[in-house]
Amino acid sequence: MTHRSYKTSFGVLAAGVAIVAMTTMASAVEVDGLAGFDDLFGRYAPGGDCGKQPQILVDSGGITLEVSGVAEKVSNPEFAASYGGPDYNGISKWFFPVRIASGYAVLMTFNADEQKGTLLITPHDEGWAGGPPLSLRNKALVQGSPYARCK
């Protein structure tokens, strides 16, 4: 293979990586409130017990995170519309409610494992081996998981 062929191959590879990166970035979209996601509305708590913390309230205005008596409203979460892949037809819906400098701290999976009324919160760009630790609030949200709609 000639020197020119290597350059061409590298250029094609670089273009392919760029296209994949753009496609991946486009898979999550910021939403203004959660109108249209009515099937997710309600209050979620660990195991569905609203006597426990943390709690998550989902309504048309967005997602309210309640940890240790402190509430934070997220009115513009990122909806990961294609997170399940192009052939996914289930009921799970994925959101990134917390932005950090390196991406999104945690992932919220509503109707996790195809179970209506469940919510699973897992680390995403925080809390992984070798990465930045979860903030105290995000650690509490992950430790409270799995959640269910309050009974």
Side-chain angles (χ1 to χ4, degrees), residues 4 7 16 25 27 35 37 40 48 52 54 57 63 67-69 72 86 95-97 122 126-127 138-139 142:
R4 183 174 178 186
K7 280 185 171 180
M25 288 187 295
S27 64
F37 293 98
L40 306 180
K52 294 182 179 179
L57 176 63
I63 300 170
V67 179
S68 302
E72 178 186 352
F95 287 88
F96 296 107
T122 54
E126 280 185 351
N138 295 335
K139 184 176 182 179
V142 168

Side-chain angles (χ1 to χ4, degrees), residues 34 40-46 49-50 52-59 62-67 70-72 74 95 97 106 108 110 117 119-121 137-138 140-142 144-150:
L34 290 181
L40 306 180
F41 290 2
R43 181 173 293 277
Y44 297 79
D49 180 353
C50 263
K52 294 182 179 179
Q53 283 278 314
Q55 294 185 15
I56 292 86
L57 176 63
V58 180
D59 59 26
I63 300 170
T64 302
L65 310 170
E66 297 177 10
V67 179
V70 177
E72 178 186 352
V74 179
F95 287 88
V106 296
M108 296 180 122
F110 289 90
L119 169 61
L120 185 64
I121 300 178
R137 182 207 51 211
N138 295 335
L141 289 169
V142 168
S145 191
Y147 297 82
R149 273 203 198 99
C150 289

Side-chain angles (χ1 to χ4, degrees), residues 77-92:
E78 293 278 332
F79 172 50
S82 61
Y83 200 82
D87 297 327
Y88 178 72
N89 290 316
I91 62 171
S92 294

Side-chain angles (χ1 to χ4, degrees), residues 7-27:
K7 280 185 171 180
T8 303
S9 296
F10 181 74
V12 170
L13 177 64
V17 168
I19 289 169
V20 169
M22 288 187 304
T23 303
T24 302
M25 288 187 295
S27 64

